[in-house]
Amino acid sequence: MAVWIQAQQLQGDALHQMQSLYGQHFPIEVRHYLSQWIEGQLWDVIDLENPQEEFKAKRLLDSLIQELQNKAEHQVGEDGFLLRIKLGHYASQLKSTYDRCPLELVRCIKHILYTEQRLVREATNSSSPLGGMMDSMSQKYQQINQAFEELRLMTQDTENDLRKLQHNQEYFIIQYQESVRIQAQLTSLATLPPADRQLREPALLNKRATVEAWLTREANTLQKYRLDLAEKHQKTLQLLRKQQTIILDDELIQWKRRQQLAGNGGPPEGGLDILQSWCEKLAEAIWQNRQQIRRAEHLRQQLPIPGPIEDLLNELNSTITDIISALVTSTFIIEKQPPQVLKTQTKFAATVRLLVGGKLNVHMNPPQVKATIISEQQAKSLLKNENTRNDSSGEILNNNCVMEYHQTTGTLSAHFRNMSLKRIKRSDRRGAESVTEEKFTILFESQFSIGGNELVFQVKTLSLPVVVIVHGSQDNNATATVLWDNAFAEPGRVPFLVPDKVLWPQLCDAINMKYKAEVQSNRGLSEENLVFLAQKAFSSSSNNPDDYRNMTMTWSQFNRESLPGRNFTFWQWFDGVMELTKKHLKPHWNDGAILGFVNKQQAQDMLMSKPNGTFLLRFSDSEIGGITIAWVAENPNKAGERMVWNLMPYTTKDFSIRSLADRISDLNHLLFLYPDRPKDEVFSKYYTPPLSKAVDGYVKPQIKQVVPEFATANSDPTGGKQTYMDHGASPSPVSHAHAYGIYPPMSDSMLDTDGDFDLDDTMDVARHVEELLRRPVESQWGGQQS
């Protein structure tokens, strides 16, 4: 109900847009009286493209009608009597409209709620710090709407002039016929006797002279009317071109740019409702003026009068055809892009939409859309209008779809739901380019006519670049190519050129946007995080952000050349961090528990000034997708000396066995999360609840983690009853349960002299524990219970 309360406060154009959402398909009274119920339903969980969801939609329709009927029955008094009748009528009307297509009701209400939320959000933002930008946008929208009003008045004016011209021309033709009749009478006088002819001829000659003089004057007047009308049409077409340029070259291009950035995790590009309404107004104005110009041409053909009007009308007709062609071809767009990392033999979807389809009645003969995958070179040739001989670079299954018209929203679109790339044909690669740097695009094309086959259009549109992979291991490198392209592509570029190097702050914006989207967090990368990344990218030690502002990073540095001393690139390391955080560390990142972007030396400097048991979490420098715990404690080999220890990095594999919070809980020597927060205060809400007691003589196995140098006699809250310890690829588990004969005690230290775990020394234990994890519980207990 909150949205509806705020929607009622809208003013001006926003209020008009909100009101236009309602009509016979969904009366505004229903929205008002059932606002709380409507906003309380889970409309978004229904997949409109899945026919099997129809039963859910039918249930919602029945509930809506029942709510309306209940509301009607509770109306009392004189006003209540009328409202009861009206609400009852609406219940019957909605049942009649949507009983056979309940999914359309869901589509309609989702569209209404989305638009209301957007209008409320925009109105709210206008009073925020972004108000200046919103005011500017509002001013732009106002200018566009004013231009449409001016076009409407100009079109109405030329319509009136055309009717006046038609009326005058019809009267002229009548007078011309009178002139012909007088001439015929004069000719017939030749058959009369001279006396009769002399008696009647002067009057007819005078009458003919009068009519011919009038015809001469009126012909000049008609010619002037025609020229004036043509001049007015020229001015109208100039304004139409200007308005169309603003909408197609500014607003629509900006929407496409937002759609491209959304592919990198930017904010949603927003709906197309306003753009469609503008395009439909353009289409209506263009079509009305086109019809007027055709009628003017018809009047000229009906009554040819020598002069320049014929050339003027031909020019106008050519111009208006160009304008409508540009509108139709530019508004054939991809509403939902195909995935930009496209794996072969995998189902994918896309949606194309014609913004003027409903207004031009294209749906009366629904066109078919075809999807084809083409290479970068083929895309270049296509935009140059070169003959590509219907070439493609692969085979897409289920690549034909008929456009459907949705009456409630007025949209004409084609939903490709089950496409699959069966095979791909790669081109010869350039230099060091890998297969994950090769870009393709999905070409969508269709053909349809408007105006009773008066105009036939062949429309085409290209998807954002896609990178084709055949194995999941190629995903991260393909994502790098897509990220770079989406972030740094220039509008109107030659497919699919991007700069080879960009300023570091530009790249920071791109990876921060991607990080926040992947991790689904409002906590992005701080300036300190970005300095850490700059140090890693440029092998620098400077902590001053200003030192990096004018530095550039090349594509090769980003994802072609390995970092110094490593076997992975900058992007591969960063992508590993994102994947680990997204899958296992999201709540801890959002809580601010993970510093993450800190190197080993920085961690040591930070911890040495803190009490023993203080720890922090940082992403591993040496391993992709790893996170390690660093903590400060006494040096067991040197009394009175403190040192910082680093646990061998955890990876996704480790967290799939035991969570980070539980691992931290296991390690009793970890006391305070840097700088001074008790660890239970930060992590206890994520601990796994204790296991239940033994049932029917069986004890459930429990995984625990122990660091040998820091294990204490009372470190096990279960009294030493664990059956086995965690696997030890990282961080080196040691068993306390020698009584069960799982594996012998390990007396050797697994920490090197720097406080780091040594991978080679722990692999035998790790393999042993992993083997134990795969055994049935019975075999581990050696038959002690049955």
Side-chain angles (χ1 to χ4, degrees):
M1 190 172 180
V3 175
W4 180 241
I5 291 172
Q6 295 177 77
Q8 294 176 75
Q9 311 303 316
L10 295 171
Q11 297 179 354
D13 185 56
L15 178 61
H16 176 71
Q17 288 184 51
M18 188 269 285
Q19 291 171 335
S20 68
L21 295 170
Y22 299 98
Q24 288 188 348
H25 62 282
F26 197 81
I28 196 169
E29 292 89 342
V30 176
R31 176 69 175 99
H32 180 74
Y33 287 103
L34 297 187
S35 57
Q36 189 169 357
W37 182 88
I38 288 172
E39 292 180 34
Q41 305 310 302
L42 301 176
W43 305 101
D44 284 330
V45 303
I46 297 180
D47 182 5
L48 297 174
E49 313 308 330
N50 185 358
Q52 295 180 356
E53 298 276 87
E54 190 166 302
F55 78 97
K56 294 182 184 177
K58 182 66 165 62
R59 198 161 58 220
L60 279 171
L61 171 62
D62 293 340
S63 298
L64 173 67
I65 292 169
Q66 186 63 51
E67 288 289 328
L68 263 181
Q69 291 170 342
N70 292 343
K71 181 69 72 173
E73 289 171 4
H74 287 86
Q75 303 305 314
V76 295
E78 183 176 344
D79 292 338
F81 171 75
L82 295 175
L83 186 57
R84 186 163 66 247
I85 293 175
K86 183 177 285 189
L87 293 180
H89 169 71
Y90 289 147
S92 301
Q93 178 181 312
L94 289 173
K95 182 173 178 59
S96 172
T97 303
Y98 297 109
D99 199 47
R100 294 186 178 181
C101 51
L103 284 171
E104 287 303 308
L105 171 72
V106 177
R107 189 189 304 277
C108 171
I109 294 179
K110 286 174 73 171
H111 170 69
I112 287 172
L113 291 175
Y114 170 82
T115 307
E116 284 180 352
Q117 289 166 357
R118 177 180 56 77
L119 291 171
V120 167
R121 187 169 60 250
E122 290 174 355
T124 304
N125 289 342
S126 65
S127 58
S128 71
L130 297 174
M133 184 174 68
M134 295 303 296
D135 287 344
S136 174
M137 188 178 300
S138 177
Q139 186 177 4
K140 183 190 294 184
Y141 286 5
Q142 188 175 3
Q143 290 172 350
I144 290 173
N145 289 331
Q146 286 174 349
F148 274 124
E149 179 62 16
E150 188 177 350
L151 279 169
R152 187 188 68 80
L153 294 174
M154 292 172 73
T155 302
Q156 185 60 53
D157 183 43
T158 50
E159 177 65 27
N160 293 335
D161 286 355
L162 186 58
R163 289 176 181 173
K164 182 179 178 182
L165 173 61
Q166 183 175 352
H167 174 77
N168 289 350
Q169 182 165 313
E170 287 171 352
Y171 187 68
F172 181 91
I173 290 173
I174 291 172
Q175 294 302 311
Y176 179 78
Q177 293 299 327
E178 177 65 15
S179 170
V180 172
R181 190 180 64 81
I182 292 172
Q183 184 59 46
Q185 288 178 342
L186 284 170
T187 303
S188 67
L189 289 180
T191 62
L192 297 178
D196 291 342
R197 186 169 65 247
Q198 289 177 3
L199 181 66
R200 299 175 62 180
E201 190 174 46
L204 285 173
L205 289 173
N206 286 336
K207 191 174 182 180
R208 184 179 69 175
T210 301
V211 170
E212 287 181 348
W214 182 91
L215 288 173
T216 302
R217 289 196 308 274
E218 191 62 18
N220 291 331
T221 302
L222 286 175
Q223 187 74 310
K224 184 176 184 305
Y225 282 169
R226 290 176 175 180
L227 291 172
D228 290 346
L229 180 61
E231 288 178 5
K232 286 185 176 182
H233 274 132
Q234 284 178 327
K235 291 180 180 179
T236 302
L237 297 195
Q238 287 174 1
L239 183 56
L240 268 174
R241 272 195 186 280
K242 181 180 177 182
Q243 183 81 328
Q244 184 159 294
T245 298
I246 292 172
I247 292 170
L248 299 184
D249 295 353
D250 294 345
E251 298 300 319
L252 185 56
I253 293 298
Q254 287 177 24
W255 181 88
K256 289 182 177 181
R257 178 58 181 155
R258 291 195 300 272
Q259 185 186 52
Q260 190 171 27
L261 290 176
N264 275 4
E269 61 269 30
L272 287 162
D273 298 337
I274 291 180
L275 273 170
Q276 174 159 319
S277 69
W278 288 342
C279 292
E280 287 179 337
K281 287 179 181 178
L282 276 173
E284 186 174 14
I286 293 169
W287 196 255
Q288 287 175 348
N289 279 276
R290 183 175 185 273
Q291 295 303 99
Q292 288 181 11
I293 293 168
R294 288 172 65 84
R295 283 160 55 197
E297 172 63 20
H298 177 71
L299 290 176
R300 186 201 67 78
Q301 292 174 355
Q302 192 179 44
L303 183 62
I305 300 174
I309 190 63
E310 182 176 359
D311 292 338
L312 274 174
L313 288 174
N314 287 337
E315 182 183 338
L316 287 172
N317 196 49
S318 175
T319 300
I320 198 79
T321 301
D322 289 344
I323 292 175
I324 197 169
S325 296
L327 178 66
V328 171
T329 54
S330 298
T331 55
F332 183 65
I333 62 172
I334 303 173
E335 182 176 14
K336 179 186 175 185
Q337 290 282 343
Q340 288 188 262
V341 176
L342 194 56
K343 189 177 178 183
T344 56
Q345 311 295 336
T346 303
K347 189 174 80 169
F348 67 96
T351 301
V352 294
R353 180 166 163 183
L354 181 62
L355 297 181
V356 295
K359 181 60 68 174
L360 297 178
N361 292 322
V362 175
H363 58 283
M364 300 304 288
N365 185 19
Q368 188 173 77
V369 184
K370 180 182 179 182
T372 313
I373 189 165
I374 61 175
S375 67
E376 182 174 334
Q377 187 56 48
Q378 288 166 339
K380 290 177 183 177
S381 300
L382 185 72
L383 293 187
K384 292 178 183 177
N385 292 320
E386 295 177 1
N387 182 16
T388 57
R389 303 186 306 278
N390 297 319
D391 285 346
S392 71
S393 290
E395 181 182 353
I396 299 178
L397 303 179
N398 304 316
N399 65 330
N400 288 285
C401 185
V402 175
M403 300 195 86
E404 300 174 353
Y405 182 66
H406 305 284
Q407 191 167 4
T408 52
T409 57
T411 59
L412 181 70
S413 54
H415 301 278
F416 292 84
R417 299 179 178 89
N418 296 296
M419 287 193 289
S420 175
L421 183 59
K422 183 178 180 181
R423 62 176 183 85
I424 190 69
K425 182 171 65 176
R426 298 192 182 275
S427 57
D428 295 333
R429 292 187 293 279
R430 302 181 293 265
E433 186 182 79
S434 68
V435 293
T436 55
E437 294 178 46
E438 186 178 4
K439 301 173 192 175
F440 297 87
T441 181
I442 308 294
L443 166 66
F444 295 93
E445 50 190 338
S446 183
Q447 178 175 308
F448 51 82
S449 62
I450 61 175
N453 293 323
E454 283 183 35
L455 297 173
V456 178
F457 294 101
Q458 289 184 332
V459 292
K460 301 177 181 182
T461 187
L462 296 175
S463 75
L464 293 173
V466 298
V467 178
V468 177
I469 64 174
V470 297
H471 192 275
S473 62
Q474 298 172 307
D475 184 83
N476 62 347
N477 291 325
T479 301
T481 302
V482 168
L483 177 104
W484 190 279
D485 192 280
N486 285 344
F488 309 123
E490 294 290 335
R493 63 174 173 173
V494 175
F496 290 107
L497 294 182
V498 285
D500 183 60
K501 61 182 180 180
V502 296
L503 287 171
W504 172 249
Q506 291 178 287
L507 184 62
C508 288
D509 290 341
I511 60 178
N512 187 35
M513 179 186 292
K514 184 70 173 176
Y515 187 85
K516 288 167 68 175
E518 288 294 313
V519 180
Q520 297 176 337
S521 171
N522 290 325
R523 182 192 169 202
L525 301 174
S526 66
E527 186 170 66
E528 292 78 10
N529 298 156
L530 294 173
V531 166
F532 169 86
L533 292 173
Q535 291 172 337
K536 180 175 286 290
F538 299 114
S539 301
S540 170
S541 59
S542 172
N543 291 317
N544 186 356
D546 293 333
D547 290 345
Y548 303 105
R549 298 201 188 283
N550 294 318
M551 295 184 72
T552 59
M553 191 169 194
T554 65
W555 165 252
S556 292
Q557 289 173 296
F558 182 66
N559 196 45
R560 197 177 274 173
E561 301 167 358
S562 294
L563 291 169
R566 306 296 183 199
N567 61 352
F568 47 79
T569 66
F570 172 84
W571 165 256
Q572 288 166 351
W573 181 88
F574 183 77
D575 184 61
V577 165
M578 283 197 303
E579 281 297 303
L580 182 72
T581 308
K582 176 173 68 174
K583 291 179 179 177
H584 301 288
L585 309 178
K586 188 190 307 181
H588 309 304
W589 173 264
N590 289 335
D591 290 346
I594 298 175
L595 289 179
F597 299 95
V598 177
N599 64 37
K600 186 181 291 187
Q601 185 59 50
Q602 288 171 325
Q604 180 164 325
D605 294 342
M606 294 164 70
L607 290 170
M608 286 301 290
S609 63
K610 297 298 177 183
N612 287 347
T614 303
F615 68 98
L616 59 78
L617 297 159
R618 67 178 187 85
F619 298 122
S620 169
D621 280 320
S622 59
E623 186 164 354
I624 293 179
I627 189 168
T628 186
I629 300 174
W631 74 96
V632 62
E634 297 294 333
N635 184 348
N637 299 321
K638 198 168 185 180
E641 182 178 287
R642 302 165 74 237
M643 63 182 293
V644 172
W645 305 72
N646 292 278
L647 208 58
M648 195 171 75
Y650 300 117
T651 63
T652 288
K653 182 178 178 182
D654 301 311
F655 292 137
S656 65
I657 297 172
R658 189 159 177 79
S659 71
L660 174 66
D662 286 339
R663 290 174 182 273
I664 290 174
S665 174
D666 293 342
L667 302 177
N668 291 338
H669 59 279
L670 302 182
L671 303 176
F672 301 101
L673 178 68
Y674 183 89
D676 54 11
R677 297 169 68 188
K679 75 172 182 182
D680 288 344
E681 178 186 301
V682 180
F683 295 101
S684 61
K685 58 185 173 182
Y686 303 111
Y687 294 163
T688 301
L691 296 173
S692 60
K693 295 182 179 179
V695 179
D696 296 333
Y698 287 95
V699 178
K700 290 187 177 180
Q702 188 174 14
I703 297 173
K704 289 287 183 179
Q705 170 182 260
V706 174
V707 176
E709 279 74 3
F710 295 89
T712 59
N714 62 349
S715 66
D716 179 15
T718 65
K721 296 292 179 66
Q722 316 89 302
T723 58
Y724 48 82
M725 296 298 129
D726 197 354
H727 76 289
S730 60
S732 305
V734 178
S735 173
H736 287 179
H738 313 319
Y740 300 118
I742 297 173
Y743 47 80
M746 299 286 294
S747 58
D748 296 337
S749 172
M750 297 182 190
L751 293 161
D752 63 24
T753 55
D754 294 326
D756 288 329
F757 281 92
D758 187 271
L759 180 61
D760 294 335
D761 291 344
T762 62
M763 285 308 295
D764 289 339
V765 177
R767 281 191 288 270
H768 190 63
V769 174
E770 287 184 353
E771 180 181 350
L772 287 169
L773 289 173
R774 289 193 290 268
R775 292 180 189 173
V777 172
E778 291 84 347
S779 65
Q780 294 176 32
W781 283 83
Q784 293 180 31
Q785 293 185 14
S786 59

